[in-house]
Each structure stands twice: as C-alpha cells, then as structure tokens.
Amino acid sequence: MAVLAAFTACGPQPPKPEAKPATAKVSNAAGKAETKFVIEANDRMRFSESLIEVPAGKKITIVFNNVGHMPKEQMGHNLVILKDDKDAQKFAMEATYSKDNGYIPKEMEDWIVAHTELLGPGQSETLVFNAPKKPGEYPFICTFPAHYAIGMKGIMRVVVEVDQ
C-alpha cells in the first residue's frame, strides 16, 4: 500500500498557474475632492479600521472617536499616521518617554504625516490633511504606552487614482 502511495505522488501534476504581473493599486475614489473616514478607538485597544485606502495627493478627513469608557490617564488614545519609510515600532517605543507631549516624541515629529491629540473617553478630533503624493503603505498607530505592541495599529494605503 505504501509503495502505491509513493508512485501516485510522483505521477503527473496539474500545471501551476502563472503569476500575474503586479499592478498599481487603484482607488475607487476617482474624481472625489475629499475622502472621509471615521475611525474609533476602544478600551480593548483596537481601532475600528485597520486599513484605509486614500487617493494620492487628495484632501483626506479622518474623524477619530475614542468610544471607550476608561479614564484618559489609563486608556487614552491617539491616531498617529507615519511616513511610509518610518519604523512604527521604534516610534512607539520612543513615544512612551513623551508623556508631556501627548506621547509624540518631539525629535521624531518629522516622521509624522498627521496626528490627533491624546483623547479621553467620549472625545473626538477631526484630522484634515493632504494624503502623500507617493503611493505606498503608511502605518497608523496609537502611541499611548503598550497600545501599539498589543495591536493598536493599521495601514493607510495611498493609491494611484485613475478614472474608471
């Protein structure tokens, strides 16, 4: 029986599908002057969205809501969008030493595309900014101590905008 299984495994195999060439990501936001998102943060240290796609160079609005109930001193949240070539883990580690600046390291402010203030329960802030012109994946994180390490992170994917 084992010999039969060995011969069957060596028999003809179906052809492998050919790899498709990579193509640029395409936004479904063609023609929009502004793209708006709502992202919520909660006491379970999660963002409601882990991926948002935005058209390169366009005006973006993000409404950030802390829907948690724990006090800001124990469970504050912010939303920090970093440039695509920056190390989110390194930024988050440095942020733990920046309590007096809302957990934003002053020496790394040039790493940031946009950010909110640290929000307490029931608070909200609206970010309005132009998306980077360079397509790519830009990490967003919460810099309150340990939140990034536990999983409070996501990606803002900047995509090429085309008419469809």
Side-chain angles (χ1 to χ4, degrees):
M1 192 68 153
V3 174
L4 181 59
F7 282 119
T8 345
C10 295
Q13 301 293 319
K16 292 183 180 178
E18 291 184 31
K20 294 181 181 178
T23 57
K25 298 285 183 192
V26 177
S27 170
N28 61 1
K32 287 188 178 180
E34 181 177 20
T35 303
K36 185 175 182 177
F37 299 90
V38 176
I39 299 178
E40 296 180 341
N42 59 42
D43 291 340
R44 293 185 317 255
M45 292 174 276
R46 293 285 184 260
F47 289 123
S48 60
E49 302 294 331
S50 59
L51 174 67
I52 59 173
E53 284 194 346
V54 302
K58 293 291 184 173
K59 183 178 175 185
I60 306 301
T61 301
I62 298 176
V63 178
F64 181 62
N65 301 316
N66 181 346
V67 298
H69 301 285
M70 294 180 71
K72 180 178 175 178
E73 298 74 29
Q74 295 173 348
M75 190 64 69
H77 297 300
N78 62 11
L79 178 73
V80 180
I81 304 169
L82 299 174
K83 294 179 180 175
D84 66 338
D85 61 345
K86 300 303 179 191
D87 183 338
Q89 183 174 355
K90 182 176 181 179
F91 190 92
M93 290 296 295
E94 290 298 318
T96 62
Y97 304 109
S98 301
K99 180 180 180 182
D100 292 341
N101 197 40
Y103 297 105
I104 303 292
K106 288 182 182 181
E107 66 278 3
M108 298 172 104
E109 286 180 349
D110 62 335
W111 287 32
I112 300 171
V113 173
H115 75 88
T116 67
E117 298 298 318
L118 190 68
L119 303 181
Q123 292 182 318
S124 180
E125 185 175 338
T126 300
L127 286 176
V128 179
F129 62 97
N130 287 329
K133 292 180 180 178
K134 178 184 166 197
E137 295 195 344
Y138 294 73
F140 63 83
I141 65 175
C142 176
T143 62
F144 193 87
H147 287 197
Y148 170 80
I150 291 173
M152 203 162 185
K153 55 189 166 186
I155 297 290
M156 179 181 77
R157 183 178 293 146
V158 175
V159 296
V160 176
E161 184 179 32
V162 296
D163 292 324
Q164 299 199 7

